[in-house]
Amino acid sequence: MFQKIIDFLENFGVWGLFIHSIADAIIFPVPAFFTQVSLSVVNPSSAIWLATAGFIGCLLGTPVGYYIGKVLGKSILYRFLKKEWIDSATNLFKKNGEAAILIGSFTPIPFKVFTILSGSLAFPLWKLIVYAAIGRAIKFYAIGLLFYYYGRAAKGMVHEVSTYIFLIGVPVLIIGLLIKRKYGKKKQEAESGQNVTLDSTPSE
């Protein structure tokens, strides 16, 4: 059934990918990655435009998935997706929500798991959109650039390149997050120390 839906969407080209990307961020269990690759194989010269449509569609669908999670909770995910995906994503979120979203942009776990979980676990929407934009941009445009420069031959490279992006890109992004968090903590401690000093200064 899902394959028939994907085949139907592919008939609409870039608009089909756009719709699939919106649905991918909301509830559709098959990632937009498959439609992007299929359409890029047919017309490699439009691969960058396809990546852009997929990226924008994903960002538009992200808040919708978020509010579904906020209203209905994560229980809705169990009706459509594998339990191990949901449990794995939940564990990631509990450890570090920001890293979970970045990692989720590259893993086989469907992205809607992270948008719905963000809502159900009250993760800030603006942070979800920012980190989703970073992760999904890398994923969509890496595939787009691959097909744009290598044409149909890129089809055989997609999975290998995706693996390299995951192994290199994700650690770099997470290190960046850790540095940002450490800097924020130091800044907070410095401000706290300043406030204590001011409070302890005797008034004349």
Side-chain angles (χ1 to χ4, degrees):
M1 182 183 75
F2 294 127
Q3 187 56 53
K4 285 181 181 177
I5 294 171
I6 292 169
D7 292 342
F8 174 74
L9 289 172
E10 284 177 8
N11 291 329
F12 295 92
V14 68
W15 286 106
L17 175 58
F18 178 72
I19 293 166
H20 190 168
S21 296
I22 293 174
D24 180 23
I26 300 171
I27 201 61
F28 193 62
V30 182
F33 164 84
F34 295 102
T35 301
Q36 183 188 7
V37 170
S38 297
L39 292 173
S40 297
V41 168
V42 173
N43 190 2
S45 62
S46 67
I48 303 296
W49 173 230
L50 286 165
T52 303
F55 173 65
I56 293 170
C58 176
L59 288 189
L60 290 175
T62 293
V64 181
Y66 179 88
Y67 283 110
I68 286 174
K70 205 168 184 64
V71 174
L72 301 176
K74 71 175 183 180
S75 58
I76 190 172
L77 291 169
Y78 289 101
R79 297 182 187 179
F80 300 96
L81 301 168
K82 293 179 182 179
K83 184 178 181 297
E84 55 265 33
W85 284 345
I86 300 162
D87 293 343
S88 175
T90 303
N91 289 333
L92 274 173
F93 246 104
K94 285 177 179 176
K95 290 175 185 175
N96 189 328
E98 296 168 349
I101 295 165
L102 290 172
I103 293 169
S105 299
F106 301 97
T107 63
I109 300 173
F111 193 61
K112 78 282 299 162
V113 173
F114 296 93
T115 61
I116 291 174
L117 274 178
S118 295
S120 66
L121 298 175
F123 188 78
L125 176 59
W126 73 268
K127 280 190 176 183
L128 170 65
I129 292 172
V130 167
Y131 291 112
I134 295 169
R136 300 307 274 178
I138 294 171
K139 183 77 179 278
F140 276 111
Y141 283 103
I143 293 168
L145 288 167
L146 203 61
F147 277 98
Y148 185 78
Y149 285 109
Y150 293 98
R152 291 183 175 87
K155 188 178 180 181
M157 309 176 193
V158 167
H159 291 290
E160 191 177 342
V161 169
S162 295
T163 303
Y164 284 131
I165 290 171
F166 179 76
L167 293 175
I168 297 168
V170 171
V172 168
L173 290 169
I174 290 173
I175 288 167
L177 279 176
L178 292 172
I179 292 169
K180 176 179 169 285
R181 182 173 293 179
K182 192 174 180 181
Y183 174 76
K185 198 173 178 183
K186 280 186 177 178
K187 190 177 177 184
Q188 196 174 14
E189 285 171 357
E191 286 173 355
S192 252
Q194 223 173 20
N195 291 335
V196 169
T197 305
L198 288 170
D199 290 341
S200 60
T201 304
S203 55
E204 292 181 5

